[in-house]
Amino acid sequence: MEDIHGMGQEIWSVALWIIKKEVIQPNRSAGDLIYINVLGVHLVIINSEEIADELVEKRSANYNDRPNIEVMNMNGWEVNMGLKHYGNEWRRDRRVLHQRFRREAAYQLHPLELAKSRQLLQNVLRDPKDFEGHFKLYPSAIIFYLLYGHEVQSMEDPLVNLTFETIYLFSGSVFPGTNVINVFPALRHLPKWTPVLKDVHDLCEKNKVMLGRMQSIPFDSVKRHMARDTAVQSWVSELLEKNAAKGEEVVPEAVIKALGASTFAAAMETAKAQKRAQAEIDEVIGNKRLPTFEDRASLPYVEGLFRELFRWHGPAPLGNFSPS
């Protein structure tokens, strides 16, 4: 039997390719808004920065919602803030995240980020062949310590393995077309034992169980350490301390767990451009020390390259389709 997930992805990929080649490119002069119906999905393509700003920014309450992704209601990831519909829950989650990750508070993370970046470079020098492993360990070490006060020493850490596998299953189902139910949502209502759908249901059930463990294991560890007064200061411990101080769940524990998983899901070039960026670093920093955050204003090309990389290929699917 043909792999059901690959089939859904292939259908959607072909549809998007046809849109690009046969609709968008030939009709750029026809207007700034193009409407297309692809396999029952209604798409409005905006080809104007001004119109995008007017609709998506200024009228975001009307046009900047998140789509219904059927599989998210099956695998437990509907708790992910990035996929929630615009409303009270989304605003609550955003408020909690903003308090910790707003620009004004970012400097508090600099010591942790610098320490882990130094550790990354030492690991690369020690074992350059495991380049990919080192760069997987680097963000994991930062996020685990920030969220839970958990020190990650290697990629063999059970929590790291659990998190990567859980997010891998999640990322393979978030986009339209990644499986047949996302392409044809009505199929969700057929019996779970239907041959062509059984694999999807089994995979969703596996992902739901793993997501529950990914949320609960580090969270419960923080609570145990807090009870013993041995907890390392972390974002989760700060939220729990606020709840304890108020005598009520200001931020419900289920929300704290979900925001931890959402943060992880969100946290996870050309030679000429690389050479120019390296040349700027060599000129400004030299070779006697490593860069710090204070050097950022003196590295405009590196800053531009960094922003372009995030624009071109973000670390998580933050630019999903926006329904109205």
Side-chain angles (χ1 to χ4, degrees):
M1 181 187 297
E2 182 180 2
D3 181 75
I4 199 70
H5 316 297
M7 182 175 69
Q9 181 68 63
E10 184 176 348
I11 292 172
W12 189 257
S13 297
V14 170
L16 292 181
W17 183 86
I18 293 173
I19 292 172
K20 179 180 178 182
K21 295 294 184 181
E22 304 298 330
V23 180
I24 298 177
Q25 291 182 351
N27 293 284
R28 282 181 176 174
S29 60
D32 295 324
L33 289 172
I34 299 175
Y35 165 79
I36 305 172
N37 185 320
V38 182
L39 301 172
V41 178
H42 304 280
L43 300 178
V44 176
I45 301 168
I46 304 174
N47 276 331
S48 164
E49 183 177 350
E50 292 76 14
I51 294 179
D53 180 68
E54 177 66 29
L55 297 181
V56 181
E57 291 292 334
K58 296 179 181 178
R59 306 187 200 176
S60 59
N62 295 329
Y63 299 110
N64 209 21
D65 199 1
R66 290 302 188 193
N68 283 317
I69 302 176
E70 290 298 323
V71 169
M72 296 299 99
N73 300 313
M74 300 164 59
N75 63 11
W77 277 97
E78 71 276 1
V79 300
N80 187 320
M81 175 199 161
L83 297 171
K84 283 185 177 181
H85 290 295
Y86 187 79
N88 291 334
E89 281 192 15
W90 181 88
R91 283 190 289 269
R92 176 202 61 200
D93 293 355
R94 184 183 184 278
R95 182 171 60 252
V96 176
L97 283 171
H98 181 71
Q99 290 171 355
R100 188 64 187 90
F101 295 103
R102 68 187 188 279
R103 182 186 296 270
E104 294 78 11
Y107 74 92
Q108 299 173 6
L109 306 179
H110 289 178
L112 173 62
E113 293 172 337
L114 286 172
K116 297 305 180 184
S117 66
R118 302 300 192 261
Q119 183 181 348
L120 166 66
L121 295 175
Q122 290 172 356
N123 289 339
V124 172
L125 285 173
R126 175 178 49 81
D127 184 10
K129 291 184 178 180
D130 192 21
F131 181 87
E132 183 177 353
H134 299 323
F135 275 86
K136 284 184 177 179
L137 177 63
Y138 171 61
S140 302
I142 291 176
I143 296 295
F144 263 113
Y145 195 87
L146 170 65
L147 294 180
Y148 308 109
H150 176 69
E151 192 73 59
V152 175
Q153 299 293 342
S154 75
M155 290 299 294
E156 301 305 315
D157 188 304
L159 282 177
V160 174
N161 287 328
L162 171 63
T163 300
F164 267 90
E165 187 175 356
T166 304
I167 293 178
Y168 174 78
L169 291 177
F170 158 70
S171 61
S173 60
V174 66
F175 287 117
T178 46
N179 62 62
V180 72
I181 292 181
N182 283 342
V183 178
F184 305 108
L187 294 178
R188 179 189 175 193
H189 302 292
L190 293 178
K192 293 182 179 181
W193 48 260
T194 303
V196 293
L197 302 179
K198 186 177 184 303
D199 287 347
V200 178
H201 284 285
D202 290 347
L203 189 64
C204 287
E205 189 59 35
K206 178 182 178 181
N207 199 191
K208 182 183 291 187
V209 171
M210 293 176 64
L211 175 60
R213 295 179 61 217
M214 173 185 162
Q215 293 176 322
S216 297
I217 291 175
F219 178 85
D220 292 342
S221 176
V222 172
K223 291 190 70 175
R224 286 195 301 271
H225 282 290
M226 289 180 67
R228 300 169 188 162
D229 200 25
T230 58
V232 176
Q233 194 70 16
S234 65
W235 187 42
V236 168
S237 69
E238 290 175 4
L239 292 175
L240 290 174
E241 286 170 357
K242 289 181 180 178
N243 285 349
K246 293 284 186 179
E248 60 178 331
E249 285 196 333
V250 179
V251 181
E253 290 192 358
V255 174
I256 299 175
K257 290 181 181 181
L259 287 176
S262 299
T263 303
F264 250 112
M268 309 284 8
E269 78 275 349
T270 64
K272 183 177 179 181
Q274 289 179 355
K275 288 180 179 179
R276 184 174 172 185
Q278 185 64 59
E280 183 179 69
I281 293 173
D282 292 341
E283 180 180 353
V284 174
I285 309 300
N287 57 8
K288 301 297 184 182
R289 65 179 179 89
L290 292 172
T292 66
F293 285 98
E294 286 70 26
D295 298 312
R296 191 167 176 177
S298 303
L299 300 168
Y301 186 82
V302 173
E303 176 76 12
L305 180 62
F306 163 78
R307 291 178 179 273
E308 173 61 16
L309 286 173
F310 272 79
R311 183 203 66 78
W312 171 67
H313 202 300
L318 302 179
N320 215 329
F321 298 102
S322 299
S324 60

